[in-house]
Amino acid sequence: MSRAARRRRVLSVASEVFPLVKTGGLADVTGALPAALAPHGVETRTLVPGYPSVIEKLERRDEVHRFPELFGGPAELLSAEAAGLELFVIDAPHLYGRAGNPYVDQQGRDWHDNAQRFAALSLVAAEIGHGLLPRYVPRVIHAHDWQAALAPAYLRYRAARRPKAARPATVMTVHNLAFQGHFPAALLTTLLLPPASLAIDGVEYFGGIGFLKAGLQFADRISTVSPTYASEIRTHEGGMGLDGLLRVRSEVVSGIVNGLDEAVWDPRNDPHLPQTYTRSNLGRRRENKRALKQRFGIETAEMAPLFGVVSRLSEQKGLDLLLAALPRLLSLGADLALLGSGDAALENGFRAAAAGAPGRIGVVIGYDEALAHLIQGGSDALLVPSRFEPCGLTQLAAMRYGAVPVVSRVGGLNDTVIDANEAALAAGVATGIQFAPTTREGLEQALGRAASLWSGRRAWRRIQRNGMATPVGWERPAAHYAKLYREVVAEKAGATS
Ligand code: ADP
């Protein structure tokens, strides 16, 4: 292996990767980045837990290492391939051999041993970084979210065990600062962390062990998924307790907007749509709108704007504001098709709203990829009223599908949607509607603006077409990540030479 090729080996460490296991945008990112990075000479391997859904999809598997004991049982490290991804998979049934959601049990409670489950993911990453596999030594370990965030800490604290190994550079990406992996300090020894690590400049966080905190403390670079979110997380309001540390580390923090998998999201060639289309024959969306309305039991005649939602139902996504704004939406003559699942109160709230406005509000509670595509391909506008949004993917899909995004002006929504204000309309560059602050009134005004723009057909078409012409794929983000890797590797080489 030449030095140049080795320089570009990146081990991506994540608890989710599409299409093997997905609960949210994290999986979309880790699933799409490897292929997008390949043209930049970056060779990505992804280390994932061996959940049943992962193990059953492996197309090739070879055992490359056996751990007699990994947090309570034996484990095998597999080198594997699936869905075009090069993988390392931790086959540890005592940690991951459970069906269903990767994080919570059937009752929706966190698995009791999540600390051990994701410490294992991080520990194996660090061991690989320290030369566990003679034939595979990454130059960069790219840890995603709290589940992988102990990797930089293990690299630091366990370096003494392998004195000759050069430590790889580390990048910590925060996909959502709200999820931090906070566990009792009593687990320190169990997690194979030294007593000295329970300190403010170690893994200690509000008296316990903070996985994400540790990653942010020790990673060479910190990235998050949009420039605006990178700024927001360094403020008291947006920092969720970690803003102090992030401000101290400001020089290594950056934001890279996510891309969308354009092969999965392509209105010209989408098997989930009754009618495919391009930006020059948008009239063909009408058939999709009809199918969407039928699927959601919406019976209004053709001439009414149809708002769509595809979302987790959580406080973050601001959908309680939409519930409150529904009377306004209905009074504008608009309809709503909502697909989502999550908080029971919101699920019930939307079920009740649908029951109270039959033929106008359609609600499907659940997770349904095909239906998500139909909403993007058939609704007039897609609502994303998030209180905070690290990047957001649904507004990118909406733009690509000619569903005009109506979004709150936060995080990645701010960075990806150009508001249809007068100047942007006059310049012909608007791609959606933004509103601020994220309140019921703000959302109601945005709904009003959307309905009025929609009725002035030509301006609306222009916004749709602009959105569809906006590059939302992985080319640009991948170039940014490749640059980040180059810089951090060069810095490391400079520091150790
Ligand atoms: P987050 O990761 O915070 O949930 P993102 O917008 O970054 O939000 O990513 C959400 C992803 O999950 C998108 O690909 C979206 O289409 C998909 N998604 C969310 N809810 C559903 C659902 N109920 N059914 C199908 N897909 C969904």
Side-chain angles (χ1 to χ4, degrees):
M1 177 66 60
S2 74
R3 270 193 65 155
R6 277 188 36 188
R7 209 185 338 263
R8 299 193 180 109
R9 275 188 169 167
V10 174
L11 180 66
S12 168
V13 188
S15 60
E16 300 183 25
V17 59
F18 183 83
L20 308 182
V21 49
K22 166 172 167 172
T23 71
L26 165 67
D28 291 322
V29 175
T30 56
L33 252 184
L37 281 164
H40 297 273
V42 175
E43 184 193 309
T44 310
R45 280 262 199 161
T46 309
L47 174 69
V48 282
Y51 313 114
S53 70
V54 171
I55 300 280
E56 74 194 16
K57 293 191 193 85
L58 300 183
E59 290 151 23
R60 171 186 69 73
R61 50 180 286 175
D62 303 300
E63 184 187 319
V64 289
H65 188 80
R66 182 180 292 258
F67 297 93
E69 212 286 326
L70 186 69
F71 296 110
E76 286 176 9
L77 180 60
L78 308 175
S79 167
E81 216 179 293
L85 295 161
E86 294 289 332
L87 304 165
F88 287 119
V89 177
I90 306 170
D91 190 6
H94 65 290
L95 297 173
Y96 309 123
R98 307 162 199 177
N101 185 288
Y103 313 117
V104 297
D105 64 18
Q106 276 80 5
Q107 279 73 47
R109 288 175 308 222
D110 288 354
W111 293 113
H112 65 93
D113 55 352
N114 273 353
Q116 289 88 332
R117 295 172 77 229
F118 297 111
L121 176 67
S122 302
L123 183 69
V124 172
E127 295 286 298
I128 294 173
H130 277 151
L132 180 75
L133 309 173
R135 291 169 57 190
Y136 179 86
V137 184
R139 297 303 295 265
V140 178
I141 290 189
H142 188 169
H144 296 273
D145 274 354
W146 74 265
Q147 296 90 352
L150 277 190
Y154 283 132
L155 279 166
R156 173 69 58 99
Y157 290 120
R158 295 172 68 83
R161 297 179 66 234
R162 295 175 188 271
K164 277 193 235 127
R167 196 164 62 88
T170 51
V171 175
M172 176 81 237
T173 293
V174 181
H175 296 262
N176 192 334
L177 197 66
F179 304 109
Q180 300 187 352
H182 195 208
F183 298 98
L187 283 174
L188 200 70
T189 315
T190 307
L191 299 183
L192 308 176
L193 289 162
S197 69
L198 197 68
I200 187 145
D201 58 354
V203 304
E204 189 273 337
Y205 185 58
F206 288 105
I209 301 167
F211 277 36
L212 185 61
K213 187 266 170 148
L216 298 177
Q217 182 76 40
F218 293 116
D220 298 311
R221 292 294 169 97
I222 297 166
S223 81
T224 185
V225 288
S226 69
T228 297
Y229 194 58
S231 301
E232 290 169 350
I233 60 177
R234 281 174 277 176
T235 65
H236 179 67
E237 300 73 42
M240 300 190 166
L242 286 164
D243 47 301
L245 171 57
L246 286 162
R247 277 196 298 274
V248 168
R249 303 219 62 207
S250 243
E251 275 188 18
V252 300
V253 177
S254 63
I256 301 174
V257 167
N258 286 332
L260 187 73
D261 189 331
E262 291 178 315
V264 175
W265 295 100
D266 184 357
R268 291 167 306 184
N269 173 29
D270 185 330
H272 303 301
L273 297 182
Q275 185 61 264
T276 55
Y277 56 93
T278 67
R279 58 192 287 268
S280 51
N281 57 17
L282 275 169
R284 295 172 66 166
R285 290 180 94 254
R286 223 173 284 132
E287 192 176 325
N288 298 334
K289 183 171 175 180
R290 217 170 294 139
L292 176 59
K293 285 168 77 168
Q294 194 176 26
R295 178 74 173 74
F296 279 80
I298 294 167
E299 289 157 1
T300 316
E302 189 70 20
M303 297 304 289
L306 175 59
F307 289 97
V309 173
V310 179
S311 185
R312 286 188 291 122
L313 301 181
S314 77
E315 160 90 11
Q316 175 196 338
K317 300 291 180 180
L319 293 167
D320 50 318
L321 304 175
L322 177 60
L323 264 183
L326 285 178
R328 173 84 174 129
L329 182 146
L330 292 172
S331 76
L332 291 164
D335 301 318
L336 176 73
L338 176 138
L339 166 67
S341 64
D343 293 356
L346 286 169
E347 290 186 354
N348 292 334
F350 279 106
R351 277 198 195 99
R360 301 285 306 280
I361 295 177
V363 169
V364 173
I365 300 297
Y367 189 94
D368 187 332
E369 295 269 348
L371 200 49
H373 283 245
L374 183 60
I375 292 177
Q376 298 286 14
S379 62
D380 294 302
L382 188 91
L383 294 174
V384 195
S386 305
R387 290 198 165 80
F388 69 94
E389 192 59 76
C391 177
L393 289 172
T394 55
Q395 84 280 11
L396 301 181
M399 286 198 282
R400 189 152 160 79
Y401 276 61
V404 173
V406 178
V407 306
S408 51
R409 190 177 299 140
V410 296
L413 301 173
N414 180 45
D415 293 324
T416 55
V417 174
I418 300 175
D419 179 54
N421 57 39
E422 268 186 48
L425 283 173
V429 296
T431 59
I433 290 171
Q434 291 189 343
F435 66 93
T438 310
T439 57
R440 169 187 173 168
E441 293 72 26
L443 174 58
E444 285 176 346
Q445 276 186 20
L447 292 172
R449 284 176 66 204
S452 114
L453 277 167
W454 179 86
S455 53
R457 301 294 147 116
R458 283 188 51 186
W460 189 260
R461 262 287 126 89
R462 186 80 195 261
I463 298 171
Q464 288 180 293
R465 291 211 174 101
N466 287 344
M468 292 181 83
T470 301
V472 292
W474 273 103
E475 289 82 7
R476 274 203 285 195
H480 284 296
Y481 278 110
K483 182 161 174 277
L484 184 66
Y485 296 151
R486 273 199 307 276
E487 285 172 1
V488 74
V489 166
E491 195 177 283
K492 204 94 198 161
T496 52
S497 63

